[in-house]
Amino acid sequence: MTQPKRQLHLGLFLFSTGYHPAGWRLPEATTDGAFDPKFLHRVARRLEDAKFDFFFLGDALATSPDMQHTFPSQMVRLEPFTMIASIAAVTEKIGLIVTANTTYSEPYTIARQTASLDYLSGGRLAWNVVTGMDVRAAQNFSREKHWDNSKRYDYADEFVEIVQQLWDSWEDEAFVRNKETGEFVDGSKVHRINHEGEHFSVAGPLNVARPPQGQIPLLNAGTSERSRDLGAKLSSAVFSGQILLEVSKQFYSEIKSKAVAYGRNPDEVFILPGLVPLVGRTKEEAHAKYRELNSLLVTNYDVAPLSARIGIDLSAYPLDGPLPDLSLSTLPGDEVKWLVALAQRAEGREDITVRELFHYFAATSRGHLLIVGDPEEIADQMEEWFVERAADGFNICPPYMMDGIDLFIDLVVPVLQRRGLFRTEYDADTFRGHFGLSRPENRFAKRAALQGAGE
């Protein structure tokens, strides 16, 4: 049997004001899209028309006005379950990713909400599992302090296990609905999970039937060692934040190897780096837009974080002067040269200033690769990462909205399609289907079948 050709998977990571910190200040940019259902619906339908795999909404459980200069689109926004339900009502094919924080939730509630949304979307839901990094969240949920990474992931491991059992607590054939006999449910196919663990006690069964996808796909962002383990063990896709090709190749290989160690097929774990494509119809147009965005940055030019990143104290150099000799870096290897090369490529020339280097890393401070260029250049870099096994696809983060995503869809997607790298039509109706994942067997039904076979 011939294996299907490997193709890119594309999704949108929604930043309503754009990923670039100054994206909202462009004259043509949307500033209030986070609370405008018409805008959100337009974005989702635009993605579906372009045959994207998914629409993804992140979440945060705390905020502060001091985020306005670095994370304006994350200051305040709609609750994700409510918003994704609205998006589901105006779309038919595109996958929908909802973020839910295990540290400040209950397994039964999340199992119920996600199963309900899987029904409302026709099997298009996926759950982005997060444990939360913002210490301010604890103060919003009656906690004395935010847990450390180890405790959060111990809690998350047990949390996810319970949710997956609850999804299976109703077998697919549990609902008989026989009008003649009056039997509505076959009780032998409904299961209490009777979970008694370190953090939770949950009896079950869930009060929602088994989701259309059986098991709703899990996703997570792999940064810490524990999060990488969770991704390799349980996730269908792992979001990553590498901006260097060689580093992303290492991450890709690590997650795939870990998946094999957990007994999984590595081809069923998809690595999706974040990508910030600043597209122009020409190179000149793209670089001009990049410079315009950077001119609108609100910043105090604190170069300390960047100095640490490249191993050179930049405070000793004038902002508008040339870069120092990179051989002065205290960091080993070629990584500093690679990092500087990204900024040079974005500017379109090698003789960049300290200020211009700062601009590049201010625009990528959340750890996603920013590339600037015409459609062919953007497609070339995406193809390189794909072919070199640094990515199975990308989590697209437009630098500004709405033109940022429109230009990518109108100019770059057709190039990828002509190269045979991206679909021209959907061939599935579910999130699992878009990624070629089969619907898993119910664990309780499987257990009963094995017991029956052994008798």
Side-chain angles (χ1 to χ4, degrees):
M1 179 177 171
T2 304
Q3 290 280 32
K5 181 182 177 182
R6 183 168 171 257
Q7 286 195 317
L8 281 166
H9 295 279
L10 297 179
L12 175 82
F13 187 2
L14 179 67
F15 291 82
S16 60
T17 58
Y19 183 85
H20 192 288
W24 66 277
R25 298 189 67 199
L26 290 172
E28 69 270 30
T30 302
T31 60
D32 59 353
F35 308 106
D36 182 356
K38 292 181 180 178
F39 170 81
L40 299 169
H41 293 170
R42 177 190 169 196
V43 172
R45 286 193 290 252
R46 189 80 171 91
L47 298 172
E48 188 165 76
D49 288 343
K51 317 307 176 190
F52 269 49
D53 291 79
F54 60 82
F55 174 104
F56 168 39
L57 178 68
D59 194 27
L61 299 179
T63 190
S64 171
D66 62 14
M67 298 173 73
Q68 65 177 314
H69 298 316
T70 52
F71 306 110
S73 63
Q74 291 182 285
M75 284 178 63
V76 283
R77 54 187 170 186
L78 296 178
E79 187 278 321
F81 280 84
T82 309
M83 177 177 157
I84 290 298
S86 177
I87 298 296
V90 299
T91 55
E92 296 180 351
K93 297 280 190 178
I94 191 167
L96 304 171
I97 301 176
V98 66
T99 297
N101 188 316
T102 56
T103 304
Y104 299 105
S105 304
E106 284 289 330
Y108 194 92
T109 300
I110 297 302
R112 188 183 188 199
Q113 289 177 316
T114 50
S116 298
L117 274 179
D118 205 38
Y119 274 101
L120 292 174
S121 66
R124 293 186 284 132
L125 192 72
W127 171 23
N128 176 42
V129 180
V130 300
T131 68
M133 296 177 62
D134 194 334
V135 298
R136 293 172 298 190
Q139 300 169 26
N140 294 333
F141 289 87
S142 304
R143 299 274 179 86
E144 292 184 359
K145 65 178 182 178
H146 187 61
W147 296 338
D148 62 24
N149 181 272
S150 179
K151 183 171 182 178
R152 294 200 314 271
Y153 275 94
D154 288 345
Y155 199 80
D157 287 344
E158 186 177 346
F159 191 114
V160 172
E161 177 188 348
I162 295 167
V163 170
Q164 292 186 317
Q165 288 188 60
L166 288 169
W167 285 336
D168 272 353
S169 60
W170 291 78
E171 294 184 36
D172 293 324
E173 297 80 19
F175 288 94
V176 179
R177 300 186 180 96
N178 189 321
K179 293 184 178 181
E180 293 183 2
T181 65
E183 183 183 22
F184 193 78
V185 171
D186 180 349
S188 69
K189 298 183 183 299
V190 183
H191 305 276
R192 290 168 63 93
I193 67 170
N194 293 322
H195 177 91
E196 295 287 346
E198 181 179 355
H199 304 289
F200 301 102
S201 174
V202 180
L206 193 63
N207 61 348
V208 180
R210 193 176 191 230
Q213 295 182 95
Q215 286 288 306
I216 294 168
L218 305 181
L219 304 92
N220 79 306
T223 51
S224 70
E225 191 63 31
R226 290 293 302 272
S227 66
R228 295 183 188 207
D229 282 339
L230 186 149
K233 182 179 181 180
L234 297 172
S235 291
S236 297
V238 176
F239 297 135
S240 64
Q242 285 75 30
I243 66 174
L244 295 174
L245 175 65
E246 293 302 319
V247 176
S248 193
K249 287 169 65 174
Q250 294 170 9
F251 179 87
Y252 184 103
S253 177
E254 176 190 340
I255 297 298
K256 300 279 185 170
S257 297
K258 283 179 177 286
V260 172
Y262 281 116
R264 300 183 65 194
N265 179 350
D267 293 334
E268 294 185 352
V269 183
F270 298 85
I271 311 302
L272 306 175
L275 178 66
V276 188
L278 205 164
V279 187
R281 293 173 180 81
T282 65
K283 296 178 183 181
E284 294 74 20
E285 181 182 292
H287 292 299
K289 181 60 69 175
Y290 175 65
R291 288 190 290 273
E292 181 183 4
L293 279 165
N294 289 337
S295 72
L296 298 171
L297 274 170
V298 178
T299 177
N300 61 2
Y301 287 99
D302 176 9
V303 297
L306 179 57
S307 296
R309 189 165 192 176
I310 68 170
I312 301 174
D313 182 6
L314 294 174
S315 65
Y317 299 87
L319 281 173
D320 292 313
L323 297 181
D325 183 349
L326 299 184
S327 67
L328 298 173
S329 174
T330 57
L331 302 180
D334 295 324
E335 187 167 322
V336 172
K337 293 181 181 178
W338 295 340
L339 289 170
V340 171
L342 291 176
Q344 292 170 327
R345 194 168 186 173
E347 288 286 348
R349 65 182 200 283
E350 291 188 6
D351 58 334
I352 65 173
T353 65
V354 172
R355 187 188 301 273
E356 288 167 336
L357 182 65
F358 178 92
H359 283 162
Y360 184 83
F361 289 99
T364 62
S365 61
R366 283 161 283 183
H368 296 314
L369 174 65
L370 168 66
I371 53 178
V372 181
D374 63 29
E376 294 289 340
E377 286 180 296
I378 302 292
D380 285 346
Q381 292 184 64
M382 294 177 70
E383 183 172 4
E384 180 183 22
W385 279 54
F386 183 62
V387 171
E388 291 288 326
R389 301 279 176 167
D392 294 309
F394 295 94
N395 209 7
I396 303 299
C397 312
Y400 59 102
M401 295 292 282
M402 183 73 187
D403 288 355
I405 188 61
D406 283 339
L407 287 168
F408 181 83
I409 288 173
D410 291 339
L411 301 178
V412 179
V413 168
V415 176
L416 298 173
Q417 290 171 331
R418 285 197 299 271
R419 297 182 185 185
L421 293 170
F422 188 62
R423 66 170 69 87
T424 56
E425 293 293 340
Y426 287 115
D427 56 11
D429 299 322
T430 67
F431 192 101
R432 299 187 74 89
H434 294 332
F435 284 82
L437 301 172
S438 60
R439 188 176 189 269
E441 186 177 359
N442 184 294
R443 71 194 63 204
F444 294 104
K446 182 178 181 180
R447 186 182 305 163
L450 290 173
Q451 291 174 344
E455 293 177 355

